[in-house]
Amino acid sequence: MAKKIKTALISVYHKQGLDKIISELANLQVEIFSTGGTLNYINELGVEAQKIEDLTSYPSILGGRVKTLHPKVFGGILARRDNESDLAQMKEYQIPEIDLVIVDLYPFEETVQTGASDAEIIEKIDIGGISLIRAAAKNYKDVLIVSSKNQYNNLFEILSQSSGESTIEQRKHFAAQAFNVSSGYDTAIFNYFNAENKIEIFKHSQNNAKELRYGENPHQKAQFYGDFKKIFEQIHGKEISYNNLLDIDAAAGLISEFNETTFAVLKHNNPCGLACDQNLTEAWKKALAGDPISAFGGVLIANKEIDIETATEINKIFFEVIIAPSYKKDALEILQKKKNRIIIIQKEKGIKEKQFRTVLNGVLVQDKDLKLVSASDLKVATKLEPSATQIEELLFANKIVKHSKSNAIILTKNKQLFGGGQGQTSRVDALKQAIDKANNFDFDLTGAVMASDAFFPFADSVEIAHKAGINSVIQPGGSIKDKDTIEYCDNNNISMVFTGFRHFKH
C-alpha cells in the first residue's frame, strides 16, 4: 500500500547530503519538525520547520539529553492509521501524524576509537535517536524510517520520482535497515562495557558488506563484512576474492612478527618462502628460493618499500597479490604491467585480539595467538646450550612455524626458510616433507635448525632431523616422552630449547 509523506521529523548528527532531501521535501510541501542544530541547518537552507519544543511544549533539557522523548512525538510515529482507537486518541491529545523519520545516531564507535574519556564516550550513547528509529521501524506499515546518511539517495528517489509516495515493500526494507543500525549500535555499546566485565556472551556486528565473486569455490556464494580500506589500499589489479582475503590475512599476520627487512611468499595461507636480509632484493631472492614452485600464483608480502630493483626481480614470476607498506614510482610502473595483478598498500597491522569461526550450530571464539616467543621464554632442555646465533635462528624459525598449518615443521638456516612441512597428519610426515623440500631445492641442511609447532611425542623426529643435518631444535615441550627426545639430543650433540607455548593452527 502506497503512503504519501505529509509530515517529517528530522534530527541528525551527520548532515552531509541532507540538503537535497530538505529541498525536495519543501517542494512537496511536507511539514517538517526538527531539533537543535538540524533545525538551524534547515532554516539556513531557506526552508521552514517547526521546533519539536513547540509541538511538545517542553524545551530540550538536561544538556540535550532529553529532546524528543515525548508522547506527542512517539504517538505521532507509533499510531496505527487503520486503528480507530489510536486515531481517536491522536485527535483527543492533538498529536500530528508523522510519516517520515530521518534520524541517525551519535558516533559512539568513532568516539571510542579516538581514545576519548569514559565520560565523553558515555555522552555519545544515543537515547532519543535509537528510540525514534525503533519506533518508526516498528510502525513501518505507516512510517518511513531513514536511519543513516547512506540511505539518503534511496530516499531522494522516492521523493523525486514517486512524489513522496512509498510502498509497503520500500518501508519494510528501510525498517530492516533501521533494525540493523540499532542492533549494531547496541552491540558496540555492549562490547565497550563488556571489555571489563567479561560477561560470557558472543556479540558481533559488522556492516560494510562486500559481495565477492564467489567463495572458496565457484559454486559457493560469499561476502566480506568489514572495513578493508582501513587497513589496506588496493592500487591495482582485479577484484579481490575470498581466497585472496584469506591469504592476505595470513600474510599480514606473518609479516607482523618481523622488524628487520623481510620478504615472504604464501600459498593457501602457509608460508612457502621467507627470508630476512638487509637488502630487500636479496630477501626476495632468498624467499623465492625456498620454494619457487609453490610461489607460482602465490601472495607476496614485504615490510619495506618496494624499489625498482626488487620489482624487476619479482616481475619475473607470476603471482596473484603483492603487499607492501609503499612502492617507489618506477617500481610500481613495472608491477602494474600485469593488469590483473593485485597490488596492495598495507597502512596498518589491523590485527584483532579475538578470532571466531562457525562450528556445527554455534560459534567458536578464542584469543588470537599473539604470543611472540622471546629469548627470555626459552628453557634449554639439553646439555649442549645453543649459541647466541643459534638462539636468534631458532626464534626466527619459531615465528614461521607459528603461522603454519598443523602439524608443522620448519627448517631454516641463516634466516632463510629452507623447507616447510605443513598441514600433515603426523609430525614425522611434516618433517619428511620439510626435508624433501629442502633437498629438492638443493639446500644444505648441515647446521640448520628445526622448529615444531607442538611437542614431539617420540624421539623419532629429532633422529630423522639429525640425520638430515639439523643441530638445534625449538619446540614447546610437554610430552610425557620429552626425556627420550632429550636423551637422543644429548647423545648426538644437538641443542634443544623448550618455549612452553604450543602454536597449533587449524
Side-chain angles (χ1 to χ4, degrees):
M1 181 178 176
K3 290 276 186 178
K4 189 170 181 64
I5 297 169
K6 298 178 182 178
T7 55
L9 169 61
I10 308 175
S11 181
V12 297
Y13 187 90
H14 300 99
K15 300 173 181 63
Q16 305 95 313
L18 186 62
D19 52 344
K20 65 180 183 180
I21 302 295
I22 301 300
S23 177
E24 199 61 35
L25 289 172
N27 291 338
L28 294 170
Q29 297 183 325
V30 173
E31 184 178 13
I32 299 174
F33 298 95
S34 191
T35 64
T38 307
L39 178 66
N40 294 335
Y41 177 82
I42 294 171
N43 290 336
E44 287 171 4
L45 293 173
V47 176
E48 290 187 6
Q50 290 192 47
K51 294 180 181 179
I52 283 292
E53 292 94 321
D54 293 340
L55 172 64
T56 63
S57 299
Y58 270 89
S60 172
I61 61 174
L62 306 181
R65 281 189 164 196
V66 180
K67 291 181 284 191
T68 57
L69 296 169
H70 194 280
K72 281 201 170 183
V73 174
F74 282 86
I77 295 171
L78 286 166
R80 293 159 290 189
R81 295 354 182 220
D82 59 356
N83 184 297
E84 291 185 7
S85 176
D86 284 7
L87 296 178
Q89 287 186 318
M90 296 273 285
K91 184 176 181 180
E92 179 183 356
Y93 295 109
Q94 298 181 321
I95 300 174
E97 295 180 1
I98 297 175
D99 307 314
L100 169 66
V101 176
I102 305 176
V103 176
D104 62 10
L105 302 170
Y106 293 155
F108 177 83
E109 288 183 273
E110 293 88 338
T111 304
V112 172
Q113 290 169 4
T114 64
S117 67
D118 187 63
E120 292 173 301
I121 290 170
I122 296 302
E123 286 307 310
K124 287 298 184 287
I125 298 177
D126 209 309
I127 303 300
I130 201 82
S131 302
L132 290 168
I133 287 173
R134 290 177 61 84
K138 176 178 180 177
N139 201 27
Y140 72 89
K141 288 185 177 181
D142 297 306
V143 180
L144 179 63
I145 172 63
V146 177
S147 54
S148 167
K149 63 182 179 181
N150 297 328
Q151 299 160 13
Y152 286 174
N153 287 337
N154 292 335
L155 172 61
F156 183 76
E157 287 183 13
I158 292 172
L159 297 175
S160 60
Q161 297 179 16
S162 303
S163 300
E165 285 193 355
S166 64
T167 65
I168 184 68
E169 293 78 16
Q170 288 172 327
R171 294 193 298 278
K172 191 170 185 178
H173 178 69
F174 274 82
Q177 290 181 316
F179 283 121
N180 173 53
V181 168
S182 67
S183 64
Y185 195 76
D186 284 340
T187 295
I189 295 170
F190 167 77
N191 286 332
Y192 172 75
F193 278 88
N194 201 40
E196 294 181 0
N197 291 299
K198 302 298 182 184
I199 301 170
E200 295 299 329
I201 293 175
F202 175 72
K203 289 184 183 290
H204 186 81
S205 180
Q206 194 70 264
N207 292 315
N208 305 320
K210 177 179 174 56
E211 194 74 26
L212 302 175
R213 285 176 290 162
Y214 51 80
E216 282 188 279
N217 303 291
H219 63 278
Q220 295 172 266
K221 292 184 178 180
Q223 300 82 31
F224 171 69
Y225 295 89
D227 190 359
F228 183 83
K229 293 180 180 178
K230 182 181 178 183
I231 305 171
F232 301 103
E233 179 186 357
Q234 183 180 356
I235 56 178
H236 184 75
K238 64 183 179 181
E239 186 178 351
I240 294 174
S241 70
Y242 180 98
N243 290 328
N244 289 152
L245 286 168
L246 290 175
D247 281 326
I248 291 167
D249 178 65
L254 174 63
I255 205 72
S256 69
E257 303 272 2
F258 299 90
N259 293 319
E260 56 192 305
T261 302
T262 306
F263 222 117
V265 184
L266 291 92
K267 196 72 171 285
H268 296 297
N269 311 156
N270 279 312
C272 57
L274 189 147
C276 297
D277 194 285
Q278 291 182 346
N279 181 277
L280 185 64
T281 305
E282 289 304 310
W284 158 249
K285 289 179 178 178
K286 291 177 181 179
L288 178 62
D291 190 344
I293 296 175
S294 296
F296 182 86
V299 171
L300 318 182
I301 189 165
N303 60 1
K304 296 292 186 288
E305 183 177 61
I306 304 296
D307 53 38
I308 187 170
E309 182 183 1
T310 307
T312 301
E313 291 297 322
I314 292 170
N315 200 49
K316 293 178 181 178
I317 73 162
F318 167 73
F319 59 89
E320 284 269 348
V321 181
I322 182 168
I323 308 162
S326 60
Y327 302 82
K328 292 286 189 183
K329 184 179 179 181
D330 48 7
L332 204 53
E333 289 173 356
I334 291 172
L335 295 173
Q336 288 176 328
K337 288 180 179 179
K338 302 288 186 181
K339 68 175 184 177
N340 287 330
R341 180 178 286 161
I342 297 170
I343 304 175
I344 295 173
I345 293 173
Q346 184 172 6
K347 297 185 287 188
E348 59 179 72
K349 288 185 178 181
I351 297 174
K352 296 281 189 178
E353 293 183 356
K354 293 281 186 180
Q355 62 182 167
F356 52 88
R357 64 169 74 176
T358 57
V359 174
L360 302 175
N361 61 348
V363 178
L364 279 175
V365 183
Q366 69 171 353
D367 296 334
K368 200 155 190 176
D369 185 1
L370 300 178
K371 173 61 183 178
L372 183 59
V373 173
S374 65
S376 62
D377 294 310
L378 304 183
K379 177 185 176 183
V380 179
T382 51
K383 294 177 182 177
L384 178 65
E385 292 195 13
S387 66
T389 301
Q390 283 179 317
I391 287 176
E392 192 174 355
E393 188 72 30
L394 290 167
L395 292 172
F396 169 81
N398 197 65
K399 290 176 182 178
I400 303 174
V401 83
K402 171 184 169 183
H403 291 271
S404 300
K405 294 292 182 72
S406 300
N407 289 305
I409 293 289
I410 292 295
L411 308 177
T412 75
K413 186 176 177 179
N414 298 326
K415 293 193 175 178
Q416 180 182 6
L417 174 56
F418 271 23
Q422 297 137 328
Q424 299 303 302
T425 53
S426 81
R427 203 150 299 282
V428 169
D429 285 343
L431 174 57
K432 288 179 178 178
Q433 183 187 61
I435 293 171
D436 286 345
K437 281 203 170 189
N439 291 336
N440 288 341
F441 300 121
D442 297 323
F443 287 117
D444 180 7
L445 287 173
T446 304
V449 307
M450 173 173 69
S452 176
D453 64 333
F455 64 62
F456 295 109
F458 305 101
D460 49 3
S461 291
V462 290
E463 182 179 353
I464 295 168
H466 173 240
K467 290 176 180 178
I470 305 299
N471 66 4
S472 194
V473 179
I474 185 169
Q475 58 136 321
S479 169
I480 60 172
K481 293 194 175 183
D482 275 346
K483 59 181 178 56
D484 295 343
T485 304
I486 294 169
E487 183 179 351
Y488 182 88
C489 290
D490 285 341
N491 291 338
N492 290 276
N493 208 34
I494 301 170
S495 62
M496 182 168 63
V497 297
F498 290 169
T499 66
F501 294 95
R502 189 180 71 185
H503 293 296
F504 269 170
K505 189 170 187 282
H506 296 103

